[in-house]
Amino acid sequence: KSDQQWAKQVLHYTFLEPQAATEGKVKTVPSPLLKGGAHYNYYNELNDKSYVVESPDGIMPVGDGAYTVMRYEENEISCGIAYRGDDYSTMVLGFPIESIKSSEQRDSLMSDALQVLSAPFKK
């Protein structure tokens, strides 16, 4: 399988566009897998604490059970995909989680991810 086929068939997302945002702000959005309403900031400018995310990806869900759970605040482009199937789940972000500016926000985002990944499987 090609990398793109694998991403679609296993991770349930597809690439939308590179450099999807510039402001460094994302938010969770309501879906069947996550309630939404959280806001996160990632490093988008030169600094002495982390590398800069210059080209965050826009990504889209693929298939039944896959949903957009995060969007870039500046343009509503999808940047977080969660999938819940019969026997496994995934969550894919268009930016690195370690680029989130504060440890509190990283912890909150990880909590959101664990909520998605630990929900009961379909029967």
Side-chain angles (χ1 to χ4, degrees):
K1 296 180 186 178
S2 75
D3 291 345
Q4 291 177 356
Q5 287 175 319
W6 188 82
K8 287 178 183 177
Q9 294 172 355
V10 176
L11 298 177
H12 292 272
Y13 86 95
T14 190
F15 178 75
L16 180 64
E17 65 182 273
Q19 298 176 321
T22 60
E23 295 179 2
K25 297 177 181 181
V26 297
K27 63 182 177 181
T28 57
V29 294
S31 76
L33 301 178
L34 196 63
K35 69 176 183 170
H39 297 264
Y40 304 103
N41 301 302
Y42 61 84
Y43 288 103
N44 65 320
E45 296 177 343
L46 290 176
N47 65 87
D48 62 354
K49 297 178 180 160
S50 176
Y51 59 88
V52 177
V53 179
E54 295 181 278
S55 297
D57 292 333
I59 55 178
M60 294 293 296
V62 173
D64 292 341
Y67 304 93
T68 292
V69 295
M70 295 185 83
R71 295 187 181 276
Y72 296 108
E73 288 190 10
E74 69 196 73
N75 54 23
E76 297 296 316
I77 291 175
S78 175
C79 66
I81 305 302
Y83 166 75
R84 192 97 182 113
D86 292 334
D87 56 358
Y88 74 97
S89 57
T90 66
M91 188 164 174
V92 178
L93 303 177
F95 59 93
I97 192 171
E98 67 270 18
S99 67
I100 298 292
K101 288 184 176 182
S102 78
S103 61
E104 293 83 8
Q105 285 187 348
R106 281 190 304 276
D107 290 349
S108 178
L109 180 52
M110 185 57 72
S111 177
D112 284 345
L114 290 172
Q115 177 184 333
V116 168
L117 298 174
S118 65
F121 291 110
K122 296 177 185 177
K123 295 288 181 191

Short mmCIF file of all heavy atoms in Angstrom, two decimals, residues 19-26 41-47 50-57 72 74 93-101:
data_model
loop_
_atom_site.label_atom_id
_atom_site.label_comp_id
_atom_site.label_asym_id
_atom_site.label_seq_id
_atom_site.Cartn_x
_atom_site.Cartn_y
_atom_site.Cartn_z
N GLN A 19 0.53 24.04 4.82
CA GLN A 19 0.49 25.44 5.27
C GLN A 19 -0.96 25.91 5.43
O GLN A 19 -1.35 26.96 4.93
CB GLN A 19 1.25 26.34 4.31
CG GLN A 19 2.72 25.98 4.24
CD GLN A 19 3.49 26.79 3.23
OE1 GLN A 19 3.01 27.09 2.15
NE2 GLN A 19 4.70 27.15 3.60
N ALA A 20 -1.73 25.12 6.15
CA ALA A 20 -3.16 25.37 6.29
C ALA A 20 -3.47 26.53 7.23
O ALA A 20 -4.59 27.03 7.23
CB ALA A 20 -3.86 24.11 6.78
N ALA A 21 -2.49 26.96 8.03
CA ALA A 21 -2.74 28.04 8.99
C ALA A 21 -1.44 28.76 9.33
O ALA A 21 -0.36 28.21 9.12
CB ALA A 21 -3.37 27.47 10.26
N THR A 22 -1.58 29.97 9.85
CA THR A 22 -0.39 30.76 10.23
C THR A 22 -0.46 31.31 11.65
O THR A 22 0.56 31.70 12.18
CB THR A 22 -0.20 31.96 9.27
OG1 THR A 22 -1.36 32.80 9.34
CG2 THR A 22 0.03 31.50 7.84
N GLU A 23 -1.63 31.33 12.26
CA GLU A 23 -1.80 32.01 13.55
C GLU A 23 -1.47 31.18 14.77
O GLU A 23 -1.36 31.71 15.88
CB GLU A 23 -3.22 32.57 13.66
CG GLU A 23 -3.49 33.66 12.65
CD GLU A 23 -4.90 34.21 12.73
OE1 GLU A 23 -5.68 33.77 13.62
OE2 GLU A 23 -5.23 35.06 11.89
N GLY A 24 -1.37 29.87 14.65
CA GLY A 24 -1.00 29.02 15.77
C GLY A 24 -2.11 28.77 16.78
O GLY A 24 -1.85 28.48 17.94
N LYS A 25 -3.36 28.83 16.33
CA LYS A 25 -4.49 28.62 17.23
C LYS A 25 -5.42 27.56 16.66
O LYS A 25 -5.79 27.61 15.49
CB LYS A 25 -5.27 29.92 17.41
CG LYS A 25 -4.46 31.02 18.06
CD LYS A 25 -5.25 32.30 18.15
CE LYS A 25 -4.40 33.40 18.78
NZ LYS A 25 -5.14 34.65 18.89
N VAL A 26 -5.79 26.60 17.52
CA VAL A 26 -6.72 25.54 17.14
C VAL A 26 -7.80 25.40 18.20
O VAL A 26 -7.64 25.87 19.32
CB VAL A 26 -5.99 24.19 16.93
CG1 VAL A 26 -5.00 24.27 15.80
CG2 VAL A 26 -5.32 23.72 18.20
N ASN A 41 -2.99 26.71 21.70
CA ASN A 41 -2.04 27.53 20.94
C ASN A 41 -0.75 26.75 20.76
O ASN A 41 -0.21 26.21 21.72
CB ASN A 41 -1.72 28.83 21.70
CG ASN A 41 -2.97 29.65 21.96
OD1 ASN A 41 -3.66 30.02 21.04
ND2 ASN A 41 -3.24 29.90 23.22
N TYR A 42 -0.24 26.72 19.52
CA TYR A 42 1.03 26.07 19.26
C TYR A 42 2.04 27.13 18.79
O TYR A 42 1.67 28.22 18.34
CB TYR A 42 0.90 24.92 18.27
CG TYR A 42 0.40 25.29 16.90
CD1 TYR A 42 1.26 25.78 15.92
CD2 TYR A 42 -0.94 25.15 16.57
CE1 TYR A 42 0.81 26.13 14.66
CE2 TYR A 42 -1.40 25.49 15.31
CZ TYR A 42 -0.52 25.98 14.36
OH TYR A 42 -0.98 26.32 13.12
N TYR A 43 3.33 26.77 18.89
CA TYR A 43 4.39 27.71 18.51
C TYR A 43 4.40 27.92 17.00
O TYR A 43 4.66 27.00 16.24
CB TYR A 43 5.76 27.20 18.99
CG TYR A 43 5.94 27.30 20.48
CD1 TYR A 43 5.84 26.16 21.28
CD2 TYR A 43 6.21 28.52 21.07
CE1 TYR A 43 6.00 26.26 22.66
CE2 TYR A 43 6.38 28.62 22.45
CZ TYR A 43 6.26 27.48 23.23
OH TYR A 43 6.42 27.58 24.59
N ASN A 44 4.13 29.14 16.59
CA ASN A 44 4.09 29.48 15.18
C ASN A 44 5.08 30.59 14.82
O ASN A 44 5.13 31.02 13.68
CB ASN A 44 2.68 29.89 14.76
CG ASN A 44 2.22 31.16 15.45
OD1 ASN A 44 2.49 31.35 16.64
ND2 ASN A 44 1.54 32.02 14.74
N GLU A 45 5.86 31.05 15.81
CA GLU A 45 6.86 32.09 15.59
C GLU A 45 8.16 31.68 16.28
O GLU A 45 8.15 30.91 17.25
CB GLU A 45 6.39 33.43 16.16
CG GLU A 45 5.15 33.98 15.47
CD GLU A 45 4.66 35.28 16.10
OE1 GLU A 45 5.07 35.60 17.25
OE2 GLU A 45 3.86 35.97 15.45
N LEU A 46 9.27 32.23 15.80
CA LEU A 46 10.56 31.94 16.42
C LEU A 46 10.53 32.25 17.91
O LEU A 46 9.93 33.25 18.33
CB LEU A 46 11.67 32.75 15.75
CG LEU A 46 12.02 32.35 14.32
CD1 LEU A 46 13.05 33.31 13.75
CD2 LEU A 46 12.53 30.92 14.27
N ASN A 47 11.15 31.37 18.70
CA ASN A 47 11.15 31.52 20.15
C ASN A 47 12.31 30.70 20.70
O ASN A 47 12.97 29.97 19.97
CB ASN A 47 9.82 31.05 20.72
CG ASN A 47 9.59 29.58 20.50
OD1 ASN A 47 10.01 28.76 21.30
ND2 ASN A 47 8.94 29.22 19.38
N SER A 50 10.77 26.26 21.75
CA SER A 50 10.36 25.15 20.88
C SER A 50 10.62 25.51 19.43
O SER A 50 10.79 26.67 19.09
CB SER A 50 8.85 24.90 21.06
OG SER A 50 8.39 23.90 20.18
N TYR A 51 10.64 24.48 18.60
CA TYR A 51 10.73 24.74 17.17
C TYR A 51 9.42 25.36 16.69
O TYR A 51 8.38 25.24 17.35
CB TYR A 51 11.08 23.48 16.39
CG TYR A 51 10.10 22.34 16.54
CD1 TYR A 51 8.99 22.24 15.71
CD2 TYR A 51 10.29 21.37 17.50
CE1 TYR A 51 8.09 21.21 15.84
CE2 TYR A 51 9.40 20.32 17.64
CZ TYR A 51 8.31 20.25 16.81
OH TYR A 51 7.42 19.23 16.93
N VAL A 52 9.45 25.97 15.54
CA VAL A 52 8.29 26.64 14.97
C VAL A 52 7.55 25.69 14.02
O VAL A 52 8.17 25.02 13.20
CB VAL A 52 8.73 27.90 14.19
CG1 VAL A 52 7.54 28.58 13.54
CG2 VAL A 52 9.47 28.85 15.09
N VAL A 53 6.25 25.66 14.13
CA VAL A 53 5.42 24.91 13.19
C VAL A 53 5.11 25.86 12.04
O VAL A 53 4.25 26.72 12.15
CB VAL A 53 4.14 24.38 13.85
CG1 VAL A 53 3.29 23.62 12.84
CG2 VAL A 53 4.47 23.50 15.05
N GLU A 54 5.86 25.70 10.96
CA GLU A 54 5.71 26.60 9.82
C GLU A 54 4.66 26.13 8.82
O GLU A 54 4.08 26.95 8.10
CB GLU A 54 7.04 26.75 9.09
CG GLU A 54 8.10 27.42 9.93
CD GLU A 54 9.40 27.57 9.18
OE1 GLU A 54 10.17 26.58 9.15
OE2 GLU A 54 9.63 28.66 8.63
N SER A 55 4.44 24.84 8.74
CA SER A 55 3.54 24.29 7.72
C SER A 55 2.59 23.27 8.32
O SER A 55 2.65 22.08 8.01
CB SER A 55 4.35 23.63 6.60
OG SER A 55 5.15 24.56 5.94
N PRO A 56 1.66 23.71 9.16
CA PRO A 56 0.69 22.76 9.70
C PRO A 56 -0.23 22.26 8.59
O PRO A 56 -0.56 23.00 7.66
CB PRO A 56 -0.07 23.57 10.74
CG PRO A 56 0.02 24.98 10.25
CD PRO A 56 1.37 25.08 9.60
N ASP A 57 -0.60 21.00 8.68
CA ASP A 57 -1.40 20.39 7.63
C ASP A 57 -2.89 20.56 7.87
O ASP A 57 -3.36 20.52 9.01
CB ASP A 57 -1.12 18.89 7.54
CG ASP A 57 0.27 18.59 7.03
OD1 ASP A 57 0.83 19.42 6.29
OD2 ASP A 57 0.80 17.51 7.38
N TYR A 72 -8.42 24.77 12.69
CA TYR A 72 -7.65 25.98 12.88
C TYR A 72 -8.64 27.13 13.08
O TYR A 72 -9.61 27.26 12.33
CB TYR A 72 -6.74 26.25 11.68
CG TYR A 72 -5.69 25.19 11.49
CD1 TYR A 72 -5.76 24.28 10.45
CD2 TYR A 72 -4.63 25.07 12.40
CE1 TYR A 72 -4.80 23.29 10.29
CE2 TYR A 72 -3.67 24.07 12.24
CZ TYR A 72 -3.76 23.19 11.19
OH TYR A 72 -2.83 22.20 11.04
N GLU A 74 -8.40 30.33 12.63
CA GLU A 74 -8.41 31.44 11.67
C GLU A 74 -9.21 31.16 10.40
O GLU A 74 -9.67 32.10 9.74
CB GLU A 74 -6.98 31.81 11.27
CG GLU A 74 -6.29 30.74 10.44
CD GLU A 74 -4.80 30.92 10.40
OE1 GLU A 74 -4.14 30.64 11.43
OE2 GLU A 74 -4.28 31.34 9.35
N LEU A 93 -3.41 14.54 14.18
CA LEU A 93 -3.37 16.00 14.19
C LEU A 93 -2.53 16.51 13.02
O LEU A 93 -1.58 15.85 12.61
CB LEU A 93 -2.77 16.51 15.50
CG LEU A 93 -3.46 16.07 16.78
CD1 LEU A 93 -2.69 16.60 17.99
CD2 LEU A 93 -4.90 16.55 16.82
N GLY A 94 -2.86 17.69 12.55
CA GLY A 94 -2.11 18.31 11.46
C GLY A 94 -0.92 19.12 11.94
O GLY A 94 -0.28 19.81 11.14
N PHE A 95 -0.63 19.05 13.22
CA PHE A 95 0.50 19.75 13.83
C PHE A 95 1.00 18.87 14.97
O PHE A 95 0.26 18.05 15.50
CB PHE A 95 0.07 21.13 14.36
CG PHE A 95 -1.02 21.04 15.39
CD1 PHE A 95 -0.71 20.99 16.73
CD2 PHE A 95 -2.35 20.95 15.00
CE1 PHE A 95 -1.71 20.87 17.69
CE2 PHE A 95 -3.36 20.83 15.95
CZ PHE A 95 -3.04 20.79 17.29
N PRO A 96 2.26 19.02 15.37
CA PRO A 96 2.79 18.17 16.45
C PRO A 96 2.25 18.57 17.83
O PRO A 96 2.25 19.75 18.18
CB PRO A 96 4.30 18.38 16.39
CG PRO A 96 4.57 19.34 15.29
CD PRO A 96 3.28 19.86 14.77
N ILE A 97 1.83 17.58 18.60
CA ILE A 97 1.29 17.86 19.94
C ILE A 97 2.33 18.53 20.84
O ILE A 97 1.99 19.35 21.68
CB ILE A 97 0.71 16.58 20.59
CG1 ILE A 97 -0.10 16.94 21.83
CG2 ILE A 97 1.81 15.58 20.89
CD1 ILE A 97 -0.89 15.80 22.42
N GLU A 98 3.62 18.21 20.63
CA GLU A 98 4.65 18.80 21.48
C GLU A 98 4.85 20.29 21.21
O GLU A 98 5.52 20.97 21.98
CB GLU A 98 5.98 18.04 21.35
CG GLU A 98 6.64 18.16 20.00
CD GLU A 98 6.23 17.09 19.01
OE1 GLU A 98 5.18 16.42 19.20
OE2 GLU A 98 6.97 16.91 18.03
N SER A 99 4.25 20.81 20.14
CA SER A 99 4.37 22.23 19.84
C SER A 99 3.34 23.08 20.59
O SER A 99 3.38 24.31 20.50
CB SER A 99 4.24 22.48 18.34
OG SER A 99 2.92 22.17 17.90
N ILE A 100 2.42 22.45 21.33
CA ILE A 100 1.46 23.20 22.14
C ILE A 100 2.24 23.99 23.20
O ILE A 100 3.13 23.44 23.86
CB ILE A 100 0.44 22.26 22.80
CG1 ILE A 100 -0.38 21.53 21.75
CG2 ILE A 100 -0.46 23.01 23.78
CD1 ILE A 100 -1.31 22.38 20.94
N LYS A 101 1.92 25.26 23.36
CA LYS A 101 2.73 26.17 24.15
C LYS A 101 2.80 25.86 25.64
O LYS A 101 3.86 25.95 26.24
CB LYS A 101 2.27 27.62 23.95
CG LYS A 101 2.61 28.16 22.59
CD LYS A 101 2.21 29.62 22.47
CE LYS A 101 2.65 30.19 21.14
NZ LYS A 101 2.29 31.62 21.03
#
